[in-house]
Amino acid sequence: MSVLSRVSVEFFSRLRFPIVAALALAAAGCRSETDAVDFAKTPDASALSMELPPSGLAATSSDAGDRLNRSAKQGVLKQQNPKAATAPSAIALASASAGQRPAERRAPAEMPAMMAVSMPVEAQAPSLLVPVKMVKKGSPIKAEPPLLPLRQTRTKLVPLQNAPFPYRGVNPMTGHPFLNVNDGGRRGHGTSSGAVYWEDKTYSDSRTLLHIPRGFDLRRPALMVLFLHGHGATLQRDVIQRQRVPEQVSEAGVNAVLVAPQLASDAADSSAGKLWEPGGLRRFLDEASDELAKLHGDPRSKGYFDRMPIVIVAYSGGYATAASCIRHGGADERLRGVVLLDALYGETDTFANWISSREKAFFLSAYASSTRARNTELADILKGKDVALNTKLKGPLRSGSVTFISTEPGTDHRDFVTKAWAHYPIRDLLQRLRVETR
């Protein structure tokens, strides 16, 4: 190598570092002139987040990302300071000579903000960067627990506003006020037999018996039993203890609940009170569903109880209230059947009209000597209307069937709820309805 060549190489090798330093200073000067467009300090950067589609930035190389950032910054600089348009190339050159890319010189915490810079439309890459709105972080959505069968039986006497009593309306049988006796401010009801029952003793109990058996499962088909007691009865003493109605519902092993309102308390009176009123049964059932949901413990159960089909079971003097319920109770679409337990003491035409006009609901009347004549009368009316009748109860109780059952001679009327065609007839009835067993 000639002397001139050696001198040239030595000269340029000594100038290499000053040249790099000069270029770095030039880049720093450009940087100080563009503080207003500092990508890491863009005002909206903290309010935006970026999503990278599968075909976007995440799928490209790091070099492609660097090129995107450099081109974006150059576009901003050209608009604000045309004279400094060539500065980004100098920055890139200085960075390349130092073995670093521009993006690597930023602190790691600044990188997301650089991705969120506001830039001219022509400088953006929609296919790579997609801005989305930031969603305020809140509590996570919790999945509702599943509806599970009840682990224990739940029974309660609950006062209801729409219970049959107290009642101060009109007696539809006479057209006169129901409380037609007043003795020094004490009000009472005088019956056709001449007896007087006082409101504070006989017609003031607004409680209804609610019973949900252990294992009741809202996920499966269910049934609501509406039990209407007879004369001289109270819910605690007679319906629960003597007639064992809640126990029969539980022992049936079916998916059913019990609703039993207090009618005239411990009196020989078949008055229906608020259930005389048009729509009275519907209002009563709506409120009973509210209380059943509370008793069940899961608020979601309210909708299930609201739609649950019902079977009316009336014993003895409860027939009059049953007749009022099917006449204009307002719950025809839910009524699956009517059962009379030695209860046909009247309202023969009401039951005959309902039976002949119903579509799928069933009717069953079991009787002893006290109501035999009325049952025979009703059966004859239905035969005249070409209604098919059954006189024996075999197998399941089918939808739309009409059945009359004469019990064995000597069957006691007072014990009819616990011993009729079978021991615990309500239990036997529910099992024959083929409600899905628990």
Side-chain angles (χ1 to χ4, degrees):
M1 178 181 297
S2 65
V3 175
L4 180 61
S5 301
R6 286 196 302 269
V7 171
S8 299
V9 170
E10 183 178 353
F11 176 77
F12 283 106
S13 64
R14 290 180 180 181
L15 291 178
R16 180 180 60 186
F17 293 105
I19 292 173
V20 172
L23 292 174
L25 289 175
C30 293
R31 176 71 175 85
S32 62
E33 294 175 0
T34 58
D35 286 342
V37 292
D38 187 352
F39 284 25
K41 296 181 180 179
T42 301
D44 295 336
S46 61
L48 295 176
S49 62
M50 308 300 293
E51 291 186 355
L52 305 180
S55 62
L57 190 59
T60 65
S61 65
S62 58
D63 292 337
D66 293 339
R67 289 196 299 272
L68 175 64
N69 290 332
R70 289 197 299 273
S71 63
K73 191 167 184 177
Q74 290 171 4
V76 176
L77 293 176
K78 287 180 180 179
Q79 289 185 354
Q80 297 192 359
N81 189 1
K83 295 181 179 180
T86 59
S89 61
I91 296 174
L93 177 61
S95 301
S97 64
Q100 291 182 326
R101 290 188 293 270
E104 292 177 344
R105 295 169 57 190
R106 295 277 182 182
E110 294 179 329
M111 292 298 292
M114 294 178 64
M115 303 291 292
V117 65
S118 300
M119 62 183 70
V121 175
E122 62 273 8
Q124 297 183 16
S127 62
L128 297 179
L129 300 178
V130 182
V132 294
K133 291 184 179 180
M134 180 177 290
V135 179
K136 185 177 180 181
K137 185 177 180 181
S139 58
I141 299 175
K142 297 181 179 179
E144 290 187 344
L147 291 169
L148 299 176
L150 288 184
R151 293 188 174 184
Q152 60 182 5
T153 298
R154 298 180 182 181
T155 305
K156 190 175 182 180
L157 291 171
V158 181
L160 300 182
Q161 291 292 327
N162 291 291
F165 297 104
Y167 177 69
R168 294 194 171 185
V170 174
N171 185 344
M173 310 301 294
T174 63
H176 300 299
F178 173 70
L179 298 177
N180 52 7
V181 177
N182 192 322
D183 183 8
R186 189 185 188 192
R187 307 181 71 175
H189 170 64
T191 67
S192 57
S193 63
V196 175
Y197 296 107
W198 300 104
E199 180 185 36
D200 56 2
K201 183 179 179 181
T202 306
Y203 308 112
S204 61
D205 193 346
S206 65
R207 295 178 301 168
T208 292
L209 170 63
L210 304 178
H211 175 77
I212 309 177
R214 180 175 63 87
F216 178 76
D217 191 347
L218 287 169
R219 298 170 299 178
R220 294 161 38 203
L223 183 71
M224 183 182 295
V225 177
L226 176 64
F227 181 78
L228 305 173
H229 67 74
H231 289 181
T234 65
L235 294 176
Q236 183 66 47
R237 183 191 66 200
D238 299 282
V239 176
I240 296 176
Q241 297 179 0
R242 182 172 65 86
Q243 298 170 335
R244 306 284 183 181
V245 177
E247 182 180 329
Q248 292 190 54
V249 173
S250 292
E251 290 188 3
V254 299
N255 217 35
V257 298
L258 172 66
V259 176
Q262 177 69 61
L263 300 176
S265 180
D266 203 13
D269 182 22
S270 298
S271 298
K274 295 187 186 75
L275 296 183
W276 268 327
E277 300 173 343
L281 175 61
R282 184 187 66 255
R283 292 188 291 272
F284 170 74
L285 291 175
D286 288 345
E287 188 177 2
S289 294
D290 292 338
E291 296 300 329
L292 281 169
K294 295 177 184 177
L295 184 62
H296 181 276
D298 192 322
R300 294 174 293 173
S301 63
K302 173 65 166 63
Y304 291 85
F305 291 122
D306 282 339
R307 301 185 300 270
M308 200 170 289
I310 63 173
V311 170
I312 297 176
V313 179
Y315 163 67
S316 189
Y319 78 95
T321 301
S324 179
C325 289
I326 66 175
R327 185 165 46 238
H328 49 226
D332 295 348
E333 71 285 354
R334 295 178 59 186
L335 188 55
R336 183 173 177 181
V338 173
V339 178
L340 301 181
L341 299 178
D342 207 16
L344 192 56
Y345 286 95
E347 298 282 3
T348 305
D349 291 338
T350 300
F351 290 110
N353 292 334
W354 178 79
I355 294 170
S356 59
S357 62
R358 86 217 182 291
E359 295 181 358
K360 296 182 179 180
F362 70 88
F363 175 83
L364 184 147
S365 179
Y367 56 90
S369 58
S370 58
T371 60
R372 187 178 303 276
R374 291 292 178 91
N375 276 276
T376 301
E377 177 186 351
L378 177 58
D380 290 341
I381 294 174
L382 295 176
K383 289 178 182 177
K385 295 184 177 183
D386 296 326
V387 176
L389 307 179
N390 300 319
T391 57
K392 293 182 180 180
L393 190 58
K394 294 182 179 180
L397 188 59
R398 300 188 181 280
S399 175
S401 63
V402 178
T403 308
F404 290 87
I405 304 174
S406 176
T407 58
E408 296 291 334
T411 302
D412 190 358
H413 173 78
R414 181 172 173 79
D415 296 332
F416 209 87
V417 178
T418 55
K419 186 179 180 181
W421 69 87
H423 181 63
Y424 279 10
I426 296 177
R427 177 185 63 186
D428 181 73
L429 169 72
L430 292 176
Q431 292 172 339
R432 292 177 183 275
L433 282 175
R434 282 190 170 179
V435 180
E436 185 175 340
T437 57
R438 295 195 301 272

